[in-house]
Amino acid sequence: MREVQMTQIRGTVDEVVFQNPENGFAVIELDTGEELLPVVGELCGVEPGEELTITGSYASHPKFGYQFKAVLYERSLPTSVPAIRKYLGSGAVKGIGPALAGRITETFGEKTLDILEKEPERLSEVKGISPRKAKEVAQEFGKMFGMRVLMIFLTGHGISSSQSVKIYKKWGAMASDLIKANPYLLCIGDIGVDFEKADAIALSEGLSRENPERVYGGIAHILRYNLRNGHTCLAREVIADKASQLLRLDRETVQAEIDRRLESEELFAIQRNREYLFLPDFYGAERYSAMRISLMLQNRYFETRSVDKMIDQFEKEKGIHYESLQREAIRQALSGSVMVLTGGPGTGKTTTLNAIIGLLEEEGLKIAIAAPTGRAAKRISEVTGKEAKTIHRLLEVDFSDESREKFLHNEQNPLDADVVVVDEMSMVDSLLFESLLRGLRMGCRLVLVGDSDQLPSVGPGNVLRDLIDSGKIPTVELKQVFRQAAESLIVTNAHRIVEGEMPDLSAKDRDFFFLSRQDPEAAAQTVAELAAVRLPKSYGMKPLEDIQVLAPQRKGELGVYALNSRLQELLNPKKPGLSEYKGSFQLFREGDKVLQTRNNYDIEWDKNGEKGMGVFNGDIGIIREINHPAGTMTIEFDERVCEYTFEMADELELAYAITVHKSQGSEYDAVVLPILGGYDKLYYRNLLYTAVTRAKKLLVLVGSRNRLEYMVRNNLRMLRYTGLKFFLQNGEK
């Protein structure tokens, strides 16, 4: 791929064509002295008359001509009287229009902006400005100037405009002073600046290496970084060692700061075989969840004998016979207030769940059904015949709060439901589980359904496994594979994998195939041909809708990045009139299949006239339009149509191939899975099991039998350090 040539331009903002105050993206006309040049990028808050120095690259579009894509920019206030007049008259300062801007600049000339900043009371010298009006204008200019100062300070340290907008929204005019005093505030979750960048700002601002805020910043960074690996807590000595290395300080200094932060409750600890430390949000989430579950377990509803009669009658009415473990699951769901139903494919989880729902409805109870993702909710809705929602839609995101996990349904406004059923519980992380429990009214029952042999959640925590392993939650694991399901090699091989046995690779006419390839290039070529040509031709499947390539890793010839490039060129090649956008990491094209990589509650969508908010991690859609003049992409996620600015493209990835982790909660008619080479730590049994169980009708493995055997043998689950099991077993200790 040709390297983009970066260059620098200077000029005065002539016109702001478009500006998004939420993320800082703007389209402007820049007067360079030689031409009016269209410039696009994160140019937060720029106004006509401002002088900019912009670093970026020229780009050409076959329809709209050339423009300049800004990567970095520096801004300075206008210095000439005409530029100042234009700047003030543009509406940059509330209360000043073109006529008043003219009178102000006539009075103060080139000193106008200095006077506005330092002697705003002198505005009353201008004809038509009363002392009260002068005060109002000064306040507005102060707000705007505070934003300018913050933006100049932050962009000078490499902080993006979109992050700067979040920072200003969070702390307002105090932001600059707060950050200069403690730059490590920038690392908190909803801002998310890298620790190294915040540390560089701190040291440049003269903070000492032993400053308590720096030491705590390093400790918190270690904990936040390991949230990505699923850990809600870490051993104290591990944190002390890593923070000491990161900060280049002795362990005693770090240990002393840990003690201080435990005292101030900026850190929390539990004592198991050794001491484990938590950030407050995750300590609170897991402790609350354990407390709430413990309260729920005290409630009982039906005597066992009456439940057995209810099941007998239901069997008679439906003409169904439930095996013993299915009956036990139904009994637990009806008699208790919380239970876990688990089991692999073909063991009758859906049949059992439908009986639970049917019997509870016969009792007149109102039932809400939910799942972590849109695809999982759609699937459970199809198999139960009942409406199902994502957990986020069920709880309803609170858009009045800037936090990412705030919901309208909570202790003060609980859900109107007698029973909540949650499918795909292995995907639910600690914070989301806490929010779900807070949304249940007292007395509400909870039925949790999932496969504990699948991968744990992408987010921090190991909720389903902790609930089961605690021994405190009534749990029924269905084990019997029913005859009809046993006819599928996908099902029988999935169970063989769980038991540590090699799958049957001998069949040539079933639903589970293995194609041996020893060379990564040959394997990658085979995977691409299967997804784009051979399976659509042989089975009549649609490549974008019915077939999904899964991969254990991101990098390498058989990682999702390389496979996506191959598949994009096969399934959606470059064509005249097909608009493209080059993001920070990849090229997007109209018609591409894309994946949302993080929860974004601010994206509006329209589904056949129904309006809503939020696109979530793991959602897959199709790019329908790329509009360069507007700087936007229109993307459709399961009939939900959304508009993305180009700056939001960093939240997207091509999705012709996705990681096994991202496939959780979804099922596809056909799955193609390469297994060859790669990092040993990424090739383990429950990742293989999760991938295999994503396929409904057809699974094709491509690669090495030896690598497959290694994967089956490797039962080293991804260990996660969490607190939920501890709190369930130990209560308030």
Side-chain angles (χ1 to χ4, degrees), residues 175-397:
S176 291
D177 292 337
L178 285 170
I179 291 165
K180 288 178 180 179
N182 181 12
Y184 304 100
L185 292 172
L186 295 171
C187 299
I188 61 176
D190 54 342
I191 306 294
V193 171
D194 292 339
F195 174 82
E196 290 76 10
K197 196 171 285 186
D199 201 34
I201 295 172
L203 296 176
S204 71
E205 289 296 309
L207 267 73
S208 71
R209 299 169 67 84
E210 295 80 14
N211 185 290
E213 299 300 345
R214 181 173 186 264
V215 182
Y216 177 64
I219 294 165
H221 167 71
I222 301 299
L223 282 163
R224 275 194 296 268
Y225 182 85
N226 279 280
L227 293 173
R228 304 176 197 176
N229 298 321
H231 306 306
T232 60
C233 61
L234 284 178
R236 175 173 177 148
E237 60 264 34
V238 171
I239 295 172
D241 286 341
K242 290 185 178 295
S244 177
Q245 294 168 18
L246 174 71
L247 299 167
R248 297 186 295 280
L249 295 172
D250 58 79
R251 286 180 91 258
E252 288 71 22
T253 300
V254 175
Q255 292 280 21
E257 192 60 36
I258 289 174
D259 288 334
R260 280 193 289 271
R261 301 296 173 157
L262 287 169
E263 182 69 25
S264 64
E265 297 193 340
E266 291 165 275
L267 292 174
F268 289 86
I270 59 172
Q271 187 68 46
R272 295 194 289 220
N273 57 327
R274 45 185 177 168
E275 189 176 23
Y276 286 82
L277 304 181
F278 297 75
L279 291 169
D281 284 354
F282 293 92
Y283 177 85
E286 295 193 310
R287 188 167 177 267
Y288 173 85
S289 296
M291 178 272 292
R292 184 66 192 272
I293 289 290
S294 297
L295 285 175
M296 294 174 71
L297 288 171
Q298 297 174 19
N299 295 328
R300 301 290 293 178
Y301 294 95
F302 294 100
E303 293 296 327
T304 301
R305 289 176 60 186
S306 61
V307 171
D308 285 335
K309 290 180 181 179
M310 293 164 66
I311 298 172
D312 291 341
Q313 182 63 31
F314 196 79
E315 282 183 324
K316 186 175 180 181
E317 291 173 0
K318 302 296 181 181
I320 297 175
H321 174 70
Y322 301 109
E323 57 93 15
S324 59
L325 283 175
Q326 289 180 308
R327 287 184 69 95
E328 177 59 22
I330 299 167
R331 188 181 296 115
Q332 291 287 357
L334 267 64
S335 60
S337 57
V338 57
M339 67 89 61
V340 172
L341 172 62
T342 185
T347 57
K349 283 203 307 290
T350 298
T351 301
T352 306
L353 181 59
N354 281 331
I356 291 170
I357 293 171
L359 282 163
L360 289 171
E361 284 183 332
E362 284 187 1
E363 295 301 309
L365 301 177
K366 188 171 183 178
I367 301 173
I369 304 174
T373 67
R375 285 176 173 257
K378 184 177 181 181
R379 188 181 64 80
I380 192 64
S381 181
E382 290 169 351
V383 299
T384 62
K386 309 290 182 181
E387 181 189 13
K389 298 178 179 180
T390 65
I391 297 174
H392 290 86
R393 283 194 67 201
L394 180 70
L395 297 176
E396 298 184 69
V397 179

Side-chain angles (χ1 to χ4, degrees), residues 16 44 51 57 79 177 186 219 269 315 387-388 418 545 702 723:
V16 178
C44 180
E51 296 168 5
S57 60
T79 54
D177 292 337
L186 295 171
I219 294 165
E315 282 183 324
E387 181 189 13
D418 302 306
E545 298 174 20
V702 180

Side-chain angles (χ1 to χ4, degrees), residues 392-461:
H392 290 86
R393 283 194 67 201
L394 180 70
L395 297 176
E396 298 184 69
V397 179
D398 181 1
F399 294 104
S400 67
D401 196 301
E402 292 295 321
S403 292
R404 291 183 295 173
E405 294 286 354
K406 296 293 183 181
F407 297 94
L408 293 177
H409 290 292
N410 50 39
E411 296 98 326
Q412 288 73 45
N413 180 33
L415 292 164
D416 181 21
D418 302 306
V419 184
V420 171
V421 175
V422 183
D423 193 28
E424 295 290 352
M425 264 302 297
S426 64
M427 298 177 64
V428 176
D429 62 42
S430 292
L431 294 182
L432 186 57
F433 190 55
E434 176 202 17
S435 295
L436 175 67
L437 292 174
R438 289 187 184 278
L440 304 183
R441 64 175 179 77
M442 298 305 292
C444 183
R445 307 186 205 187
L446 190 59
V447 178
L448 306 175
V449 184
D451 187 341
S452 59
D453 289 309
Q454 287 185 25
L455 294 170
S457 57
V458 173

Side-chain angles (χ1 to χ4, degrees), residues 612-628:
M613 300 284 287
V615 178
F616 303 108
N617 189 357
D619 285 353
I620 290 179
I622 304 293
I623 298 176
R624 297 303 184 193
E625 182 185 24
I626 297 177
N627 186 331
H628 278 273

Side-chain angles (χ1 to χ4, degrees), residues 510-530:
R510 303 279 292 277
D511 56 3
F512 190 109
F513 296 91
F514 175 75
L515 301 181
S516 178
R517 298 290 187 275
Q518 302 304 316
D519 175 64
E521 169 62 27
Q525 184 65 30
T526 299
V527 167
E529 288 177 356
L530 284 164

